[in-house]
Amino acid sequence: MKTSVIGYPRIGKDRELKFASEKYFKGEITESELNETAAAIRADNLKAQKDAGIDFISSNDFSFYDNVLDTAVLFNIIPARYTELGLPSLDTYFAMARGYQGDKGNVKALAMKKWFNTNYHYLVPEISDDTEVKLTGTKPVDEYKEASALGVNTKVAVTGPFTFLKLLRYTGSKTIADYAPVFAAEYVKLINAVAKAGAEWIEFDEPYLVHDLSAEDNKIFKDIYNTILGSKGSVKVLLQTYFGDIRDIYSEVTALAFDGIGLDFIEGKKTLELVKSNGFPADKLLFAGVVNGKNIWKNNYEKTLGIIDEIKAAAGEDNIVVNTSCSLLHVPYTLASETKLTDEYKKHFAFAEEKLPELVQIASLAVNKDEAVLEANRKLHESRVNAYDAKVQERVKNIKDSDYTRLPEFAEREKIQKARFNLPLFPTTTIGSFPQTADVRKNRQDFRKGNISEEEYVNFNKNKIAECIKLQEEIGLDVLVHGEFERNDMVEYFGEHLEGYLFTEKAWVQSYGTRCVKPPFIWGDVSRKEAITVKWSAFAKSCTDKEVKGMLTGPVTILNWSFHREDISIKESTLQIALAIRDEVLDLEANGINIIQIDEAALREKLPLRKSDWYSEYLDWAIPAFRLVTSGVKPETQIHTHMCYSEFTDIIPAIDAMDADVITFEASRSDLLILDSLKENNFKTEVGPGVYDIHSPRVPSVDEIVTALTKMRAKIDDSKLWVNPDCGLKTRGNEETVKSLKNLVEAAKKLR
Ligand code: GLN
Ligand code: ZN
């Protein structure tokens, strides 16, 4: 049985591409030096896959920034504002990715969006009525040739036309239907170019097919591929899907003249059923995604072979290729870089490099079941040190329905809290963090490295908190925060204080462009070792007569920004985390913290791609998990939550069902569209739609904030409107923060 990999991480084992790109941006290295780094990474990646014995290796999976952007440039979809800068082509590309500010002009970057249900972000290309779509780039051909020269025969991987068309932003009056035939013709030219270079296979990535599809979508897809497949000549075409199943178009896809079809058996809940009940054409290869490209655990061979056996019955043994479920872009490079994790833990993980021999081993086991190998794998999965905690499991089992409901109901609580806090109309507050200046980060680092004592570390933070409280009093804010000086990252901080978590040194994953994240691993049952934030919040409260908001991260966000377990459901893990955070909430309340914010910045992250699965697969437990955290507090304790990074106009009812007392969110960049949705849905929770964008150092004027608030007042009852920035201030400097907040307070006063 053969093996395949959809794509490989490309940031470099030691994030070489990130550092080289950043140097290039600063003008410290030349384009050819940057190219050298990139070529070395590509060569390493190819070699790793070839040495492991992978049969189908992708070229063109590399990107300087993002593959969707690469595809846009490949077909000349470059808005005029970027070409007009008159920059060399690589710099035009980076201008689209990052914006440009310099002697040639000043333009913003293209919009960035979450890549399906991952934490990777792509750039949203823009197409206008006069864009001339034509194959002008050569990247796929160049990278194919480069690989060939290195002795690696590759399949050329390209974003497929349907997915690309669905992700585009149409700025004129033309639509996807107008552009579909044009793209089909240009993709045919691409196939010809690739064929001329000698490629045997071209892979079209079409993850968009895992969404709910309309009849029109189906038609567009078929029309495009009828054209493409009708003139593909001798090149073989692999249609690669991932991140789910293709239930709305399975029979159409299998009826088309593809030479191979890639299906996801990990996230595609219905994939196996589709193959079994509809069969699979004998004249095509089935690229079976059975090795998880999104998670870091060693494969469970028995389970995987079970799936392969069922596929064999439907598709025939000779037609199966063992594949990753999606690109390995979403996992770290290699376990070899981890020096601190002991073998006891390490042996359970497989990052990109370790998934390669796994693919090969599975392919061989599928033909010849080597009992010894299977037994070793079985044992591995049974033997996990420090993973299980009977008490935690028991606690989850004993959760009662009533634990998910806070009483009395919101309207009643709102009255009690208004009387208790007696805040002015349009109360002002912030989202939690204050600027993380160099001294704040140094204090944490010094403590981490053992250069300063715990006492010194704590005293430094207490001074910062006292200063921060004083500053907020001077500015005139109504509800204060402690400033979060003890936190590096809102998830990592809690992970480090919870039992059941593991941390890595170099397990970086690309989030967008040169940005990488290092998600912690949920290793076992999660519980709280001891109170986490109480000492900081209580100290802050001791510095002022005003209310200080306690600041926690919610269970869904903690889970969504960690690598999760595969031996229990994410629902179960989330409930464990919820119980731990619930204990923290109750401790804060017992220590005089009367307002507590529980951030759910990443609530939407694992929302299923199919709308039809939103509630049944996710919101039906994610929202209750949040409520479990808060249901134990007194009616007079005020619960806030905060959300950002994503649209949530379409899940407003679910957000209201979180049953918080106040929600603050990022609104300044989404043109306040969300306000209409709040009104339509009769949103009951009090709201603080951010009145200015903290992602930019710009100081908003009083007038500007008044204008934003005036718009909000048209849709939100005065008695429910809070005034705050749209997210935490940690990435900002002190100067602009103070000015902005003063204006914010001034604006609220004007309205009062
Ligand atoms: N409380 C956090 C902060 O202010 C929230 C961060 C976030 O929403 N991403 O930094
Ligand atoms: Zn935020």
Side-chain angles (χ1 to χ4, degrees), residues 431-433 484 490 551 597 599 601 642 644-645 727-730:
I431 307 304
S433 57
E484 300 184 23
M490 63 189 289
M551 200 54 62
Q597 177 172 313
D599 290 328
H642 167 72
C644 54
Y645 297 126
C727 195
L729 302 163
K730 73 172 173 214

Side-chain angles (χ1 to χ4, degrees), residues 431 490 561 597 599-601 642-645 664-666 694-695 725-728:
I431 307 304
M490 63 189 289
W561 279 340
Q597 177 172 313
D599 290 328
E600 282 292 14
H642 167 72
M643 295 182 56
C644 54
Y645 297 126
T664 58
F665 52 81
E666 183 183 299
I694 61 92
H695 303 85
D726 72 348
C727 195

Side-chain angles (χ1 to χ4, degrees), residues 8-9 293-296 328-335 338 350-355 504 506-510 517-519 521 563:
Y8 212 69
K294 269 187 170 176
N295 213 343
I296 41 73
L328 297 178
L329 174 70
H330 309 291
V331 291
Y333 257 88
T334 173
L335 268 173
E338 300 303 320
F351 299 174
E353 196 167 282
E354 292 77 30
K355 286 183 195 284
T504 53
K506 294 203 168 172
W508 296 100
V509 179
Q510 192 175 16
V517 292
K518 194 154 63 71
F521 296 9
F563 280 115

Side-chain angles (χ1 to χ4, degrees), residues 328-347:
L328 297 178
L329 174 70
H330 309 291
V331 291
Y333 257 88
T334 173
L335 268 173
S337 304
E338 300 303 320
T339 61
K340 294 200 178 117
L341 271 184
T342 60
D343 250 1
E344 257 174 342
Y345 294 103
K346 259 196 193 168
K347 65 182 183 195

Side-chain angles (χ1 to χ4, degrees), residues 421 423 429 432 465 468-469 472-473 478-483 533-534 536-551 588 591-597 637-638 640:
F421 297 118
L423 294 168
T429 190
I465 291 173
C468 184
I469 294 285
Q472 293 173 78
E473 284 182 332
D478 299 307
V479 173
L480 315 190
V481 296
H482 77 283
T533 64
V534 174
W536 306 119
S537 291
F539 175 75
K541 182 77 188 76
S542 75
C543 300
T544 178
D545 293 331
K546 289 201 166 176
E547 293 298 338
V548 171
K549 236 186 333 184
M551 200 54 62
L588 283 170
N591 282 278
I593 304 301
N594 304 322
I595 302 184
I596 301 167
Q597 177 172 313
T637 297
Q638 191 169 66
H640 288 216

Side-chain angles (χ1 to χ4, degrees), residues 349-419:
F349 300 126
F351 299 174
E353 196 167 282
E354 292 77 30
K355 286 183 195 284
L356 304 174
E358 248 182 13
L359 286 158
V360 174
Q361 198 158 41
I362 291 168
S364 129
L365 288 168
V367 182
N368 173 17
K369 291 214 163 90
D370 182 333
E371 261 315 313
V373 175
L374 284 172
E375 179 59 18
N377 184 270
R378 203 175 296 135
K379 280 235 171 73
L380 176 79
H381 285 278
E382 281 162 4
S383 71
R384 299 219 296 122
V385 291
N386 304 326
Y388 309 109
D389 183 336
K391 260 199 254 143
V392 173
Q393 294 170 11
E394 194 59 26
R395 222 180 140 192
V396 169
K397 228 185 275 156
N398 290 334
I399 299 172
K400 300 185 296 293
D401 278 351
S402 58
D403 294 333
Y404 292 113
T405 310
R406 187 176 170 202
L407 290 173
E409 58 160 11
F410 174 78
E412 188 79 10
R413 297 196 311 261
E414 194 179 28
K415 267 187 239 150
I416 297 172
Q417 291 166 17
K418 286 235 187 274

